[in-house]
Amino acid sequence: MGLISLSKETKNSGRGMSLLLVFFPDHNDVSPSSSSSSSPATTLFRARSSRLAQSTISICLLLLLLTLFLFTLSTFEPSSAVVSPRRFLLTRDVHRTRGFNNNNRFALQGMGTLFMRGTKSMHDLIVAHIASDTTEEDLRLFMRMLHRSGVTSRSDVVLLFNSDRFNGLIEEENNSFLKLVDVYRNSNQTESVWGFNFSRFMKNRSKNDTSEPIWGKKKTHRANNETELTHGSVVGFDVTELDPENSLSGFMDHVAITMRRWACYPMLLGRVRRSFKHVMLVDAKTSLFLADPLTRIRNRSPESVLFFSKHKKTSEINPAVMIGGAKGVRRLSSAMHTEIVRTTMQQQRKKRSSVLSESVVLSQLVGNVRMTTKSFEAVGPSESIAEASSLAELRTRNSAASSVKDHDIIQRGNVMAAVIMKRVCSSSQLDSSVYSYC
């Protein structure tokens, strides 16, 4: 195939227009020498393309396997995984409640343990703290006397502790209380000195009364009986749930639960501030209920708090028992928490190594409240709480019953729990048939 060039010139102009056509030979016309020279380059290009394709496929497969591996790790939750303190509280609480009864649930807003749900909402709240040195015998006696006194017919009970070792015991005493009500309901036995009066728990309820306890989940149906069993709820909170940061640990080496409880009260009472009118703070190890102490405060203002003296001839306040309006006790707890921090910092500045006394700090706070701002109304201390050793029923067998009925709450003092428990168990054959520890 050749190269052709064509040129044409017009008559009227000197300008010309040319057309150039170039034709290249076909591949079939390429000489053998040219074909043989391009073959090695084509082979090398194809080899490189093949290796590149294999590398690309390998990388894609590797990325796919890596993606699957990371997805597997993200969905796997090992038991030793590190979680935040607040998440740990909820996880720990679930396993804790499953340990003794699968039917128990959270008490309030994903926290706490619901040991026994009440039949209706109550206006009074008893908050009892369980010290670290409390024994099973101590707590068993406290729970038994708490139910037998009748105070749970009008109050809910919150237990503060730093260990779940008492969960089974609390559950057992609650069940014994319910059995005791059924046994006395079907008998004609009258109340004795240390006996149980079940009539306090049997109350007439109107059909329009649909109040539900704030603890746990609401029930879908209610009983229609005009007269039915009425009792409060029993719940428990670990101190780490209400004070997860242990706010007093930065000011003292060892924070006992008697001190740490003051950091727990503001959160607890703040969450239930619209549900209760009166609150009682009590030490579960040293205090025993004989009747309803909250009758002392029901006619007072919401800001008032009733204090008791530690001894008859002293004005030092007893921190084991305090009763007041819900607003007053809530303000007291916040002020006491602040006072503990302030007093501890003063001791550190003065380089004192003495142990901080809860009674001294509380007495100092009440004195300051009366002299300065009145965040709450302090009532007393005008009387002390009687000790169990002063009761005639514990000194002689054939004494009058008046001394027990004259008190609504006592302190154990030096009297062993087994001594009081023996009198309770011997008060009636019905009682001994219900309680396992008699």
Side-chain angles (χ1 to χ4, degrees):
M1 184 75 65
L3 181 64
I4 301 173
S5 177
L6 178 61
S7 179
K8 183 177 178 181
E9 186 176 346
T10 61
K11 296 180 179 179
N12 301 326
S13 174
R15 297 179 181 178
M17 182 177 63
S18 301
L19 177 63
L20 178 63
L21 297 176
V22 180
F23 295 93
F24 293 96
D26 296 332
H27 291 287
N28 294 334
D29 298 334
V30 178
S31 61
S33 61
S34 176
S35 176
S36 61
S37 63
S38 63
S39 179
T42 303
T43 303
L44 180 61
F45 174 75
R46 290 178 178 176
R48 289 180 177 177
S49 300
S50 177
R51 286 195 298 269
L52 180 60
Q54 292 177 357
S55 300
T56 303
I57 295 174
S58 300
I59 293 174
C60 292
L61 291 175
L62 182 61
L63 290 175
L64 179 61
L65 292 176
L66 183 61
T67 302
L68 293 175
F69 178 71
L70 293 176
F71 177 76
T72 304
L73 287 180
S74 64
T75 56
F76 179 70
E77 297 180 358
S79 59
S80 59
V82 179
V83 294
S84 63
R86 296 178 184 271
R87 289 286 183 184
F88 170 75
L89 295 175
L90 299 181
T91 304
R92 178 200 52 74
D93 201 70
V94 170
H95 292 294
R96 182 186 66 189
T97 55
R98 289 177 179 175
F100 66 92
N101 194 329
N102 291 330
N103 294 326
N104 284 285
R105 302 172 293 273
F106 289 125
L108 182 68
Q109 300 174 2
M111 297 192 306
T113 304
L114 179 61
F115 293 108
M116 182 176 70
R117 193 170 192 268
T119 58
K120 57 174 292 186
S121 61
M122 298 294 175
H123 297 302
D124 300 337
L125 179 66
I126 298 174
V127 184
H129 65 277
I130 304 174
S132 302
D133 57 347
T134 303
T135 64
E136 288 190 4
E137 191 178 43
D138 297 334
L139 185 59
R140 187 180 299 279
L141 180 60
F142 173 80
M143 292 296 300
R144 189 165 299 185
M145 298 297 291
L146 177 74
H147 285 305
R148 295 176 66 88
S149 66
V151 68
T152 52
S153 65
R154 301 187 64 175
S155 306
D156 287 342
V157 180
V158 172
L159 302 174
L160 290 182
F161 44 75
N162 58 0
S163 173
D164 58 359
R165 59 193 176 100
F166 294 124
N167 284 354
L169 185 152
I170 298 169
E171 180 79 359
E172 182 181 350
E173 286 300 318
N174 291 335
N175 292 334
S176 297
F177 157 70
L178 297 177
K179 292 178 182 178
L180 194 64
V181 171
D182 291 335
V183 169
Y184 269 86
R185 182 189 301 177
N186 299 323
S187 69
N188 296 323
Q189 183 166 337
T190 59
E191 183 182 7
S192 60
V193 176
W194 297 93
F196 175 73
N197 186 1
F198 83 99
S199 61
R200 298 178 183 141
F201 299 92
M202 304 304 296
K203 298 181 180 180
N204 296 327
R205 299 188 61 182
S206 63
K207 296 181 179 180
N208 296 328
D209 186 5
T210 58
S211 60
E212 286 281 341
I214 65 170
W215 316 102
K217 295 181 180 179
K218 292 185 178 181
K219 295 181 180 180
T220 57
H221 61 86
R222 293 184 51 83
N224 295 323
N225 299 335
E226 294 182 357
T227 303
E228 62 177 9
L229 175 64
T230 301
H231 62 81
S233 303
V234 178
V235 302
F237 288 89
D238 195 299
V239 291
T240 54
E241 295 178 291
L242 301 175
D243 180 33
E245 306 299 333
N246 195 1
S247 55
L248 294 176
S249 61
F251 304 95
M252 54 184 68
D253 296 332
H254 174 68
V255 184
I257 193 173
T258 53
M259 290 293 183
R260 193 174 182 182
R261 63 176 175 136
W262 294 105
C264 299
Y265 292 150
M267 176 180 286
L268 173 64
L269 299 179
R271 295 198 176 201
V272 299
R273 64 184 180 274
R274 300 182 185 276
S275 303
F276 298 98
K277 295 180 179 179
H278 311 100
V279 177
M280 179 177 184
L281 308 179
V282 63
D283 186 353
K285 180 182 179 181
T286 63
S287 306
L288 296 176
F289 286 85
L290 299 178
D292 188 358
L294 287 158
T295 55
R296 298 168 177 255
I297 204 71
R298 287 194 176 105
N299 294 328
R300 293 186 178 271
S301 65
E303 294 82 9
S304 60
V305 181
L306 177 62
F307 298 96
F308 299 89
S309 60
K310 207 168 185 180
H311 305 287
K312 289 184 178 180
K313 298 181 180 180
T314 180
S315 60
E316 187 175 351
I317 294 178
N318 187 353
V321 179
M322 285 157 283
I323 315 172
K327 184 182 295 185
V329 175
R330 188 172 69 249
R331 292 177 178 178
L332 165 66
S333 61
S334 300
M336 184 62 178
H337 185 215
T338 305
E339 187 70 15
I340 292 174
V341 174
R342 190 183 68 83
T343 306
T344 304
M345 294 179 66
Q346 284 183 349
Q347 286 189 349
Q348 292 176 351
R349 284 197 297 266
K350 296 179 180 179
K351 297 182 179 180
R352 293 179 181 177
S353 58
S354 59
V355 179
L356 192 65
S357 171
E358 183 186 16
S359 179
V360 172
V361 177
L362 184 59
S363 302
Q364 180 177 308
L365 172 64
V366 173
N368 294 337
V369 167
R370 286 173 174 165
M371 294 174 59
T372 57
T373 58
K374 291 187 177 181
S375 57
F376 59 90
E377 179 186 350
V379 181
S382 59
E383 61 177 307
S384 61
I385 299 176
E387 292 192 359
S389 59
S390 65
L391 299 180
E393 290 80 8
L394 295 177
R395 292 200 304 265
T396 59
R397 289 183 177 271
N398 299 320
S399 59
S402 58
S403 61
V404 168
K405 294 185 177 180
D406 288 342
H407 302 284
D408 47 24
I409 188 169
I410 61 174
Q411 294 207 278
R412 275 180 47 195
N414 297 325
V415 178
M416 298 296 293
V419 176
I420 305 177
M421 187 72 78
K422 184 178 180 181
R423 296 298 177 90
V424 172
C425 292
S426 61
S427 62
S428 171
Q429 292 182 354
L430 296 179
D431 298 11
S432 58
S433 65
V434 170
Y435 293 122
S436 58
Y437 288 84
C438 265

